[in-house]
Structures are given as structure tokens and as C-alpha cells.
Amino acid sequence: LSKLSLEHNEFTGTLPITVGNMTSLKRFNINSNYFEGGIPEEIGHLTRLVEWSCENNRDLGGSIPDSMSKLTDLETLSLNDIALNGTIPSFLGSLVNLQKLDLQYNDLYGTIPTELNKLTKLRILGLRSNLLKGPSPDGLCDLGLSQYTADCATECKCCNLCIDESEKSCIFTNVCTCSGCESNKENI
């Protein structure tokens, strides 16, 4: 089994630790269910994963497990709106094949790790609607991102569009035309 899509099924309960036994999986989609209890450490056994999408499981919670550092083939990691908490782990910078990293709509706090600058293949970075603060790491805007969304509290260096004034969120790109959201607000 190389692809498993369980999206929009209204599944409930915890993700079973036996998910780690599906070591041949390359694509795993569990979007829009009602899972809870956190991401099991056993997810790190899925070392062939290229895409993992776990969006809109609003009660999943927990933090990003350290075992995910083993998922070096990942190109897409979508963990938005799953009630993640804690900080963004620096090991995400070692997942050098990532092209999309979406951690929007969670309760992540702290700063954006400098190690994300190592993700030279990254094109989409979603961090908006978290509790992140401080400056975006130097070099992040130089990665050639086509889209980078984050809260303005991250002191963006390459913000070019505020998309939601009530949330003070911005879209950032590699076109660094302003020093922060307050200096260049446009509503879409």
C-alpha cells in the first residue's frame, strides 16, 4: 500500500500507533476528520512518506513529535488546523525535500527556527494564525518561496500583502518590498 486517503470520513478517536506499521506508504491523507490525542511517535517509521496531509482535525492537539525528523523524503507536510502546540521544532530544517510546509491555524509559539533556511526546495510556507513572535530568520525570504503566510508579529522582512487586517496576517514572498505589514497594507 503506497497511498492511503481517509479524508472527510468523520473518523474519531486517536491515531493508532499501528500507523507506523504501514512502512511502504508514500502518501497519507487524513484531512477533515475528528482525530484526537496527538500525533503518535510511530509516524516516524513511515520513512518513505512523500506527502502527509492531516489538515482540519481540530482536536488532534499535541506537539510535532521528534520522530518526524526521520521523514527525510517528505515533500509536503500539511498540519494546519489540528491544535498543535509547542514550538516549531528545528529538525524540520533537516527535511530538505520539503516543498510545502503548512502549520497554519494552530497554537504554536516562540520564534521561527533559523534551520528552516536550509529548506532550499521549499516553495510554500504557512505559519499564519499561531502565536509566533520575533523576526523571520535572515535568509528565509531568499529561498524563492512562492508563498509565505505568517502573522505580522513575526516582524516580517519581506511582507508584500496583508490579507486579513483583523488577524494581522500577511503573505510574504521572495519579493522583499517592505519592512513589515504596517507599511504596505492591501486587502484582497
Side-chain angles (χ1 to χ4, degrees), residues 50-121:
V50 173
E51 178 183 337
W52 188 35
S53 193
C54 182
E55 301 174 0
N56 303 315
N57 281 282
R58 293 183 180 100
D59 296 322
L60 190 59
S63 59
I64 299 172
D66 291 341
S67 64
M68 288 184 66
S69 65
K70 300 174 188 171
L71 305 182
T72 57
D73 287 345
L74 268 182
E75 295 174 2
T76 299
L77 179 59
S78 293
L79 303 177
N80 71 340
D81 202 9
I82 64 171
L84 284 175
N85 53 52
T87 60
I88 298 173
S90 58
F91 72 74
L92 289 178
S94 68
L95 304 181
V96 295
N97 288 305
L98 274 180
Q99 296 172 24
K100 177 181 179 181
L101 175 60
D102 190 352
L103 302 174
Q104 299 180 97
Y105 301 101
N106 285 297
D107 295 316
L108 297 169
Y109 56 85
T111 59
I112 301 168
T114 308
E115 290 81 1
L116 295 187
N117 290 342
K118 298 175 186 173
L119 301 176
T120 58
K121 295 180 182 180

Side-chain angles (χ1 to χ4, degrees), residues 118-131:
K118 298 175 186 173
L119 301 176
T120 58
K121 295 180 182 180
L122 194 65
R123 294 298 166 254
I124 298 172
L125 177 60
L127 301 175
R128 124 182 192 182
S129 294
N130 279 291
L131 305 169

Side-chain angles (χ1 to χ4, degrees):
L1 181 66
S2 65
K3 181 179 180 181
L4 180 60
S5 181
L6 302 173
E7 66 182 321
H8 301 289
N9 278 298
E10 299 184 13
F11 288 129
T12 60
T14 60
L15 281 173
I17 61 172
T18 54
V19 73
N21 295 338
M22 298 185 293
T23 56
S24 61
L25 270 186
K26 291 188 175 205
R27 301 191 187 293
F28 187 30
N29 182 333
I30 57 171
N31 291 346
S32 302
N33 284 291
Y34 298 97
F35 290 112
E36 58 188 23
I39 300 169
E41 283 286 333
E42 289 76 9
I43 200 77
H45 297 298
L46 306 182
T47 57
R48 293 183 182 168
L49 267 186
V50 173
E51 178 183 337
W52 188 35
S53 193
C54 182
E55 301 174 0
N56 303 315
N57 281 282
R58 293 183 180 100
D59 296 322
L60 190 59
S63 59
I64 299 172
D66 291 341
S67 64
M68 288 184 66
S69 65
K70 300 174 188 171
L71 305 182
T72 57
D73 287 345
L74 268 182
E75 295 174 2
T76 299
L77 179 59
S78 293
L79 303 177
N80 71 340
D81 202 9
I82 64 171
L84 284 175
N85 53 52
T87 60
I88 298 173
S90 58
F91 72 74
L92 289 178
S94 68
L95 304 181
V96 295
N97 288 305
L98 274 180
Q99 296 172 24
K100 177 181 179 181
L101 175 60
D102 190 352
L103 302 174
Q104 299 180 97
Y105 301 101
N106 285 297
D107 295 316
L108 297 169
Y109 56 85
T111 59
I112 301 168
T114 308
E115 290 81 1
L116 295 187
N117 290 342
K118 298 175 186 173
L119 301 176
T120 58
K121 295 180 182 180
L122 194 65
R123 294 298 166 254
I124 298 172
L125 177 60
L127 301 175
R128 124 182 192 182
S129 294
N130 279 291
L131 305 169
L132 301 169
K133 296 192 187 257
S136 293
D138 287 335
L140 201 57
C141 298
D142 299 327
L143 290 176
L145 298 171
S146 61
Q147 183 176 343
Y148 169 22
T149 59
D151 300 317
C152 289
T154 58
E155 300 171 26
C156 54
K157 295 181 181 182
C158 55
C159 174
N160 67 354
L161 178 65
C162 279
I163 59 170
D164 188 338
E165 197 165 321
S166 67
E167 290 186 43
K168 299 224 183 278
S169 296
C170 296
I171 290 180
F172 306 82
T173 70
N174 63 340
V175 180
C176 299
T177 58
C178 68
S179 60
C181 290
E182 297 303 314
S183 66
N184 189 10
K185 286 187 181 176
E186 273 184 57
N187 293 314
I188 57 171

